[in-house]
Amino acid sequence: MKTKYEQHGALYFNRSGKLVDCDNRIVQLRGYSTHGLSWYPQYVNREFFEFMRDKWYVDVIRLAMYTAEEDGYCVGTEENKKKLLEVIDRGVKAATELGLYVIIDWHILSDSNPLMHIEEASEFFKTVARKYHAYGNVIYEICNEPNVNCTWADIKKYAETIIPIIREYDSYSVILVGTPTWSQDVDEAVKAPIKGDNNLGYVLHFYADTHRDELRNKLSEAAENKLPLFVSEFGICDASGDGEGNEEQGKIWLDLLDKYDISYCMWNLGNRDESSASFVPSCEKTTDFTEEDLNPSAKWYIHELALRNKPKQS
Ligand code: IDC
């Protein structure tokens, strides 16, 4: 069975805001986000990626690299930076060998405005775009979740610096841009899109127990306005990453994303003691997970993936 990447290759956002292949066939990706690569590098391994592809029907993996939290790219030692680049390299190569799409995520969070580390980001994206420009499966996500004290104008300013740096080496790969208020205000991008590049997607994140109709309406309106959208992170718990999972709201969200062919990744591949973690804290495996290793949110999602993403026998 061919993977989506093997079938479709490099992807583009077309004029209707849909993610498509070079024949303008719509491609919707479904997958998982890692937790922070500094803390949970063990899940970035080829065996597990293969397991996710074959058993969970995942076709995209997001590599979340925190920038300002402990051992983040911008606050740790040079040695730490090197280690992070190695984990990314391992992830990109494994994904490529397995025919999976892979997102390189500059995971800003406590550094709420991407302009705070624009120099480090410039250097980082130059490094990765140079390395991976020939990989048609790589997607660059340039700022996870801009939040307090950060306007859309700030994000645009940042994006207008980083995008040309990437494009100097990689002229076509998809670039994803986070939006204000923890990547919720896609309406700002509808009103004032970033000009001058034709393969950008705007990011919306939701945590289904917290974010409901109001945010769904924002997403629908943006999609109706043909804004290219990508949900690079979501959970079915509350926005803290913990609390009980709301499967009912989760299903309403996934149905809506499927209606608009919007791609999505669930947060997170980790065994921290929080409900958004896929694995229970006592589980130390790094692949071949079984039911008892999984938290309820992961069980729910894997079931949804089997319903929504299992390749049809042809
Ligand atoms: C959370 C993790 C948690 C960690 C915290 C701070 O689940 O273990 O302590 O970050 O590093 C986001 C962020 C994502 C958050 C997640 C849950 O992108 O980094 O992860 N979340 O709070 N946005 C909304 C929710």
Side-chain angles (χ1 to χ4, degrees), residues 5 14 113 193 268 280 299 309:
Y5 179 61
N14 72 10
N113 187 322
N268 70 68
V280 296
K299 284 186 199 161
N309 219 33

Side-chain angles (χ1 to χ4, degrees), residues 208 216 236 245-255 300:
R216 282 194 284 263
I236 58 167
N246 192 325
E247 299 180 359
E248 192 188 324
Q249 288 295 320
K251 189 176 173 314
I252 299 174
W253 268 106
L254 295 195
D255 287 346
W300 173 82

Side-chain angles (χ1 to χ4, degrees), residues 64-102:
M65 186 187 73
Y66 281 88
T67 47
E69 273 65 11
E70 196 189 348
D71 289 326
Y73 191 83
C74 304
V75 296
T77 59
E78 282 305 309
E79 189 55 30
N80 181 62
K81 267 191 188 169
K82 221 177 114 214
K83 265 207 296 215
L84 285 167
L85 287 170
E86 281 165 13
V87 181
I88 291 176
D89 199 56
R90 187 165 84 224
V92 169
K93 296 220 165 107
T96 306
E97 282 169 27
L98 295 161
L100 296 167
Y101 292 92
V102 60

Side-chain angles (χ1 to χ4, degrees), residues 35 39 66 107 109 144-145 207 233 239-241 267 272 274:
H35 200 299
W39 312 317
Y66 281 88
H107 201 87
L109 191 60
N144 168 49
E145 289 186 356
Y207 281 78
E233 184 185 304
S240 74
W267 181 259
R272 191 170 179 160
E274 57 182 352

Side-chain angles (χ1 to χ4, degrees), residues 106-117:
W106 183 255
H107 201 87
I108 68 161
L109 191 60
S110 60
D111 46 343
S112 58
N113 187 322
L115 291 171
M116 279 168 73
H117 291 126

